[in-house]
């Protein structure tokens, strides 16, 4: 059909040409997006080439997400295409940010045990504006510090506000959600107040940049020394920790401006003060607060000092004065009595052979072929699975045999099991017995200790960790407390004598003693004294 020499098409033909549903064309005609060029005598709509062009542009803009009012503005030239596109880009960026925030929240949910109520809180928190985030932290800081006269500390906390970027990563959104939950923790508030009060009492006034940099260097120094000791397997409550403690104290003393020149020496007063500072400054919640702020603000996050701080506090408490633990052990080791005479004619050597044979049987009972999860099962040793425990059993034999042979081991962090844990333990146990049976070894002096004390140490380690392994193996291994009752009975007074004075701190070799019935088997009582929970 022709109107003014222009070719016209009905609505069905337009639908076929453009692939647009008839219903949509009719709707867009009604709202003025694509008005018809004319009508037939019967009233049917007709469209010309210009209408088809409007329709194609309208479809494109709609697919890009523009609403009908914006599309009409473009088609009627009330705004240019560039103007509308620019406005729509801004709108899309806002939508994209919102979608990414939603995505980050949902990913955070997959990493947490989140309730429906918790999800609602996380969603609200993630959507907070910058002003709302600053208000939340400001309220936390002012509420935490209250009326404390700590202007420097207060300014520092208020200046460190979370600045979540417009396009945050999942980690930044997750950190903000965690931070918003953390600031509601009363324990964080208590830790912050404790630090603020201590800082005001011991380091009042402004902190210059040089002093802050010096403190950072000191922190890097002592954490590296302590982490190195931990990697080497040095226990904080052993005399081997003393050189590390002495080096840290020597580096720390010059920073203590409140100490007199005469007081800047390594001694009980200095070590007591350092323990105080570490305990005040090593609050894990406060440390986490600053780590989360750094993550949110895109700043480098310092590694956690919690483990190193716990190690150093334990070492300082073990030796509150230089050489205190070594002197304490000297007195113990001078006692010439052998507590293991009941174990057999050879005393401690017979005890060692018997307990190694017992542990060999327990090690052999771990069968990862029959039980693919055998290595992964938990043990009474915190954070240790069965494989880690087996590796430690082998290491203890290698360690004490090396000391007995005058060749101390330094491969604490290595894998000592290989592909055959049974053979690894058997060979290590044979090596330790061979070293201990060398003529004269029991009476030879190793520092302050006679050789029999080295053998005794391995016996105790195998008894306690044998109990751990038997517990992890479950009923198949029998009741752990029923193992070698006479050796466990003989070990109890030795363990009380050697380990009784040690601080039972988080970083120490043993946890606090656990309750156990007085009539419990001796090995159960031994395990409980060294921090195990006996069921």
């Amino acid at each position: 059909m022709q109107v003014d020499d222009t070719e016209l098409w009905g609505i069905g033909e337009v639908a076929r040409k453009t692939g647009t549903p008839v219903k949509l064309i009719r709707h867009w005609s009604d709202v003025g997006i694509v008005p018809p060029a004319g009508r037939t005598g019967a009233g049917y709509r007709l469209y010309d080439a210009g209408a088809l062009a409007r329709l194609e542009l309208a479809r494109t803009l709609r697919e890009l997400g523009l609403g009908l009012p914006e599309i009409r503005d473009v088609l009627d030239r009330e705004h240019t295409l560039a103007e509308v596109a620019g406005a729509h880009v801004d709108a899309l960026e806002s939508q994209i940010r919102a979608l990414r925030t939603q995505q980050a929240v949902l990913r955070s949910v997959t990493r947490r045990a989140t309730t429906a109520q918790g999800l609602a809180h996380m969603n609200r928190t993630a959507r907070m504006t910058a002003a709302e985030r600053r208000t939340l932290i400001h309220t936390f800081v002012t509420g935490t510090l209250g009326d404390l006269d700590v202007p420097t500390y207060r300014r520092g906390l208020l200046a460190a506000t979370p600045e979540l970027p417009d396009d945050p990563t999942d980690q930044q959104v997750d950190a903000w959600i965690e931070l918003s939950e953390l600031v509601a923790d009363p324990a964080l508030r208590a830790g912050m107040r404790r630090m603020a009060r201590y800082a005001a009492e011991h380091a009042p006034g402004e902190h210059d940049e040089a002093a802050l940099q010096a403190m950072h260097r000191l922190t890097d120094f002592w954490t590296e020394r302590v982490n190195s000791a931990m990697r080497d397997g040095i226990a904080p409550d052993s005399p081997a920790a003393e050189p590390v403690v002495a080096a840290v104290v020597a580096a720390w003393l010059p920073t203590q401006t409140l100490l007199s020149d005469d007081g800047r020496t390594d001694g009980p007063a200095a070590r007591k003060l350092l323990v105080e500072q570490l305990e005040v400054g090593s609050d894990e919640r406060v440390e986490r607060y600053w780590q989360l702020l750094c993550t949110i603000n895109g700043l480098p996050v310092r590694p956690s000092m919690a483990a190193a701080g716990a190690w150093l506090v334990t070492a300082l408490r073990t030796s509150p004065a230089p050489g205190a633990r070594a002197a304490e052990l000297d007195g113990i080791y001078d006692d010439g009595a052998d507590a293991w005479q009941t174990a057999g004619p050879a005393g401690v050597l017979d005890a060692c052979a018997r307990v190694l044979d017992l542990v060999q049987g327990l090690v052999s009972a771990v069968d990862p072929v029959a039980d693919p999860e055998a290595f992964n099962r938990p043990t009474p040793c915190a954070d240790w699975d069965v494989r880690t425990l087996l590796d430690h059993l082998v290491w203890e034999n290698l360690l004490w045999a090396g000391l007995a042979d005058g060749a101390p081991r330094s491969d604490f962090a290595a894998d000592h099991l290989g592909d055959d844990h049974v053979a690894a333990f058997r060979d290590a146990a044979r090596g330790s017995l061979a070293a201990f049976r060398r003529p004269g070894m029991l009476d030879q002096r190793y520092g302050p200790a006679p050789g029999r004390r080295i053998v005794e140490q391995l016996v105790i380690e195998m008894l306690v960790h044998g109990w751990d392994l038997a517990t992890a193996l479950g009923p198949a291994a029998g009741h752990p407390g029923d193992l070698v009752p006479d050796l466990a009975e003989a070990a109890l007074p030795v363990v009380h004598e050697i380990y009784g004075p040690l601080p039972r701190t988080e970083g120490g070799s043993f946890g606090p003693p656990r309750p156990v019935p007085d009539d419990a088997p001796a090995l159960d009582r031994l395990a409980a004294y060294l921090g195990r929970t006996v069921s």
Side-chain angles (χ1 to χ4, degrees):
M1 182 175 183
Q2 299 285 331
V3 177
D4 295 334
D5 296 326
T6 300
E7 185 175 6
L8 300 175
W9 301 280
I11 195 169
E13 184 65 18
V14 172
R16 285 190 295 274
K17 284 178 175 294
T18 62
T20 307
V22 168
K23 186 176 181 180
L24 181 59
I25 298 172
R26 184 177 294 115
H27 173 64
W28 281 2
S29 293
D30 292 341
V31 298
I33 298 294
V34 188
R39 288 182 180 268
T40 67
Y44 292 110
R45 305 176 213 222
L46 296 172
Y47 298 90
D48 59 9
L52 263 67
R54 284 177 67 97
L55 178 59
E56 289 286 358
L57 180 55
R59 282 188 56 189
T60 301
L61 293 173
R62 190 62 172 158
E63 288 170 356
L64 288 171
L66 271 72
L68 294 184
E70 291 86 358
I71 294 172
R72 188 185 299 110
D73 282 350
V74 172
L75 294 174
D76 294 343
R77 290 182 168 79
E78 293 183 16
H79 294 93
T80 67
L81 180 59
E83 289 173 339
V84 173
H88 192 58
V89 165
D90 293 340
L92 281 176
E93 286 178 348
S94 296
Q95 294 175 27
I96 289 169
R97 286 195 296 270
L99 287 171
R100 284 179 174 162
T101 299
Q102 293 172 20
Q103 182 185 52
V105 170
L106 291 172
R107 283 182 174 160
S108 183
V109 169
T110 66
R111 295 188 290 269
R112 299 163 174 245
T114 305
T115 64
Q117 183 179 4
L119 174 59
H121 168 76
M122 290 166 60
N123 192 41
R124 288 193 302 272
T125 300
R127 293 174 180 274
M128 279 183 172
T129 65
E132 289 171 331
R133 290 193 294 272
R134 284 192 290 271
T135 297
L136 179 66
I137 297 303
H138 186 276
T139 302
F140 161 72
V141 171
T142 55
T144 296
L145 299 183
D147 58 356
L148 289 179
D149 185 17
V150 287
T152 302
Y153 196 83
R154 188 185 301 270
R155 281 196 298 275
L157 285 180
L158 289 175
T161 56
E163 300 294 340
L164 201 63
D166 290 338
D167 188 16
T169 64
D170 286 358
Q171 290 75 19
Q172 287 173 311
V173 173
D174 205 34
W176 167 241
I177 292 171
E178 185 181 343
L179 181 64
S180 71
E181 296 169 345
L182 184 61
V183 296
D185 187 346
L188 173 64
R189 292 173 180 261
M192 287 276 195
R193 284 182 64 85
R194 188 165 54 249
M195 283 190 185
R197 190 180 293 110
Y198 193 91
E201 292 172 356
H202 295 82
E206 300 295 333
H207 302 298
D208 60 62
E209 187 61 26
L212 290 174
Q213 291 302 319
M215 189 56 63
H216 284 313
R217 289 192 295 272
L218 174 62
T219 300
D220 291 340
F221 170 78
W222 77 258
T223 53
E224 175 51 35
R225 286 298 299 263
V226 170
N227 285 329
S228 178
M230 293 168 68
R231 288 191 296 270
D232 291 341
I234 297 175
D237 40 22
S238 72
E242 178 59 34
V244 180
V245 174
V248 171
V249 173
W252 166 80
L253 280 170
T255 69
Q256 301 307 296
T257 57
L258 297 183
L259 289 175
S260 65
D261 291 340
D262 293 340
R264 293 185 194 177
T265 58
D266 188 355
R271 294 194 176 200
K272 181 175 182 292
L273 179 60
L274 180 52
V275 168
E276 287 178 3
Q277 293 182 2
L278 287 168
E279 290 184 332
V280 170
S282 61
D283 188 295
E284 290 188 55
R285 293 175 181 84
V286 177
E287 180 184 65
R288 186 59 180 159
Y289 176 90
W290 291 108
Q291 288 177 330
L292 292 170
L293 271 179
C294 288
T295 298
I296 293 166
N297 292 338
L299 300 174
V301 178
R302 290 184 70 90
S304 173
M305 299 185 298
W311 190 99
L312 185 54
V313 166
T314 299
L316 287 161
R317 289 194 176 281
T318 300
S319 282
R325 178 58 177 166
E328 189 174 59
L329 289 175
D330 284 352
I332 294 173
Y333 291 152
D334 282 342
D335 182 0
D338 185 344
W340 305 93
Q341 291 301 327
T342 59
V348 72
L349 280 179
D350 284 339
C352 188
R354 285 179 55 197
V355 76
L356 286 174
D357 185 62
L358 164 72
V359 175
Q360 174 75 41
L362 295 171
V363 171
S364 299
V366 180
D367 187 354
V369 175
D371 179 8
E373 290 299 310
F375 280 163
N376 301 323
R377 300 196 182 285
T379 73
C381 300
D383 301 325
W384 282 12
D385 58 17
V386 166
R387 193 185 194 284
T388 307
L389 176 57
L390 291 172
D391 187 90
H392 186 76
L393 287 166
V394 174
W395 162 252
E396 287 290 343
N397 278 274
L398 297 175
L399 169 67
W400 297 108
L403 289 174
D405 287 334
R409 304 282 296 225
S410 60
D411 56 340
F412 170 76
D415 178 7
H416 304 102
L417 287 188
D419 297 328
D420 189 341
H421 63 288
V422 177
F425 182 84
R426 182 188 61 239
D427 294 344
R430 287 175 178 171
S432 58
L433 281 176
F436 297 160
R437 285 168 173 161
R438 178 172 48 80
M441 182 270 166
L442 296 184
D443 297 319
Q444 180 179 334
R445 303 298 291 190
Y446 295 85
R452 64 180 178 80
R453 290 291 192 172
I454 289 180
V455 183
E456 182 176 75
Q457 185 63 47
L458 182 61
V459 172
I460 294 169
E461 290 286 346
M462 292 299 103
L463 281 171
V464 177
H465 289 307
W467 184 93
D468 292 332
L469 183 55
T471 301
L473 289 172
H479 190 283
D482 294 336
L483 306 174
V484 287
D486 60 321
L487 297 186
E489 198 70 54
L492 274 167
V494 177
V495 167
H496 280 263
E497 179 185 40
I498 295 177
Y499 300 131
L502 294 184
R504 301 300 182 94
T505 59
E506 184 179 349
S509 299
F510 310 107
R514 302 290 185 178
V516 66
D518 293 339
D519 59 352
L523 192 50
D524 279 355
R525 284 182 279 134
L526 181 66
Y529 182 71
L530 295 179
R532 274 66 170 175
T533 299
V534 179
S535 60

